[in-house]
Amino acid sequence: MKSPTRKRFAALAALAIGVGASTALAALPAQAQDATEFDIVDGSISWGIKQSFRNYIVGPIAHGSITLGGGATQNGDGSFTFGGAEGAADLDAGTYAAATDGSVYFYGHDGALDLLFENFEFTADDASQTGTIIVDVTTSGVLEENVPFATFDYGSSPWDVSDGVAQLDGAPAVLTEEGAIAFAGFYSAGTELDPVSIVANLEAAPVDPPTTDEPTDTPTGGAETVYDVTGGSADWGVKQSFRDYVTGPIAHGEITVLDPATENADGTYHFPDATGTFTAETCALDAAFAGGVNFYGHEGQLDLDVADLRVASVDGGLALYSGDTLIVNVAVTELAISGGQIAVSGAAATVAADGVDFFGGFYTEGTEVDAVSFTVDLAGAPDTTCEPTGNPGGNNGGSNGGDDDAAGGGAGTPKLPVTGSPLTIVLAAAAALLVGGAAVMILARRRSLGASA
């Protein structure tokens, strides 16, 4: 793996304009050479790579996990943010390039799927209104450096440069030929990927003067105030009647608590080691908790992992995610920070739209599940109260619609990539049973894998 310094020089070399790119790069001093050239001193790339792939990894087929490293974080919509951007921009030429920190590791099928993406860079050129995402990709231990993985088009939404910040929002992206190879053949070149958003803080960039229509102290853009989640835990039992059913005389199953989660005395589960962020301006909380729970029954026809839990702000409330899937809506209309901590106790929760498929059709949307409690510690956050707003323009359903390619649709309807092993999923709903006066729906998932081609 290259050092961050080498990575950043590699990205800057792609930016150099005129004859002798590397010579021009070497000639750049720490400060910009003229009024249009600026160092990028901070910023980020926000990109989910591909939502349907994330759903597939953590779904019931791959039974995998997504692990972030190097300071990368996961956003409320499931995408990732890679920060610490450093590079250069020439506003007159309309060129931008920077390298970021962080990594994302995809693991599934008991190690048969093993992909590490790290050292994300971007380049962009206003002349073509396109850019490239460059990344190091390690596939099952084999490293390929500087892969031009994806291209993005910002013709319909150009860079916004204001108050020392260059920003690009939601640029459509597609997979390159090189990216298709590095992606282990999951997708072909030209496959639509998640949109790309970039923030680049420019050193010594000019600040737009305020207009006469607004006061001089009105904020017009720039970096948000983000506090790190430094600890905390969540307590949730999923649904008591579901737990009873799994271990009862029909499913003949068992429940396994996955470390470092533990079982509470009342049968609910404790998920420790909270990490994440809280953004003050939008009252957006995104906190992940460690551990999980596996529900197994009907001799394997029911095999569900509730793991990689995250509590994240959505418009006007909170949501509980398992991996990238929004499974439960949590009735919290106000977040209070007191003594550097947010604490929520016994918040009512109901099955979300994507939670219906996640739970295999056991419950309809809006079905009440166990209450959710959690605490998160915020480093340096002052006492305040705010309404959760989450991701502006986000998707409360947990799917991005129209994404029906090889890696599958939303949660609960996963499809294997085309690798020669067709997958058949048959869902057979049994009749409702009356257990202690309460109706419990039984649904068995039957999966069969055809013979390898």
Side-chain angles (χ1 to χ4, degrees), residues 238-243 245-246 351-353 355-357 359-369 439-441 443:
V238 185
K239 186 170 176 65
Q240 181 176 354
S241 60
F242 181 67
R243 303 195 307 267
Y245 168 73
V246 169
V351 175
V356 175
D357 279 346
F359 287 114
F362 272 77
Y363 307 108
T364 58
E365 182 179 358
T367 298
E368 184 178 354
V369 295
V440 180
M441 293 300 296
L443 180 146

Side-chain angles (χ1 to χ4, degrees), residues 1-2 6-7 104 114-121 133-150 176-184:
M1 187 194 321
K2 292 193 294 297
R6 288 185 59 194
K7 290 290 291 181
V104 57
D114 190 316
L115 283 170
L116 173 67
F117 297 88
E118 58 187 337
N119 300 324
F120 288 77
E121 303 177 8
I133 297 293
I134 303 163
V135 63
D136 291 348
V137 182
T138 302
T139 306
S140 297
V142 179
L143 171 64
E144 182 70 25
E145 296 181 325
N146 293 324
V147 177
F149 190 82
T176 64
E177 292 280 358
E178 298 89 343
I181 296 171
F183 217 153

Side-chain angles (χ1 to χ4, degrees), residues 50 52-53 55-56 186-187 404-409 413-417:
K50 188 165 181 65
S52 60
F53 180 70
N55 290 341
Y56 169 71
F186 273 80
Y187 305 103
D404 56 358
D405 46 45
T413 56
K415 299 182 181 68
L416 281 172

Side-chain angles (χ1 to χ4, degrees), residues 256-306:
T256 304
V257 181
L258 310 174
D259 287 338
T262 55
E263 186 174 4
N264 297 318
D266 62 357
T268 62
Y269 310 107
H270 182 75
F271 305 92
D273 304 333
T275 59
T277 58
F278 175 78
T279 304
E281 285 77 7
T282 58
C283 196
L285 175 66
D286 189 353
F289 305 91
V293 184
N294 175 259
F295 298 92
Y296 182 91
H298 292 290
E299 298 181 347
Q301 295 176 23
L302 188 160
D303 189 348
L304 176 67
D305 283 333
V306 178

Side-chain angles (χ1 to χ4, degrees), residues 182-200:
F183 217 153
F186 273 80
Y187 305 103
S188 58
T191 297
E192 182 180 351
L193 303 176
D194 282 4
V196 175
S197 295
I198 298 171
V199 175

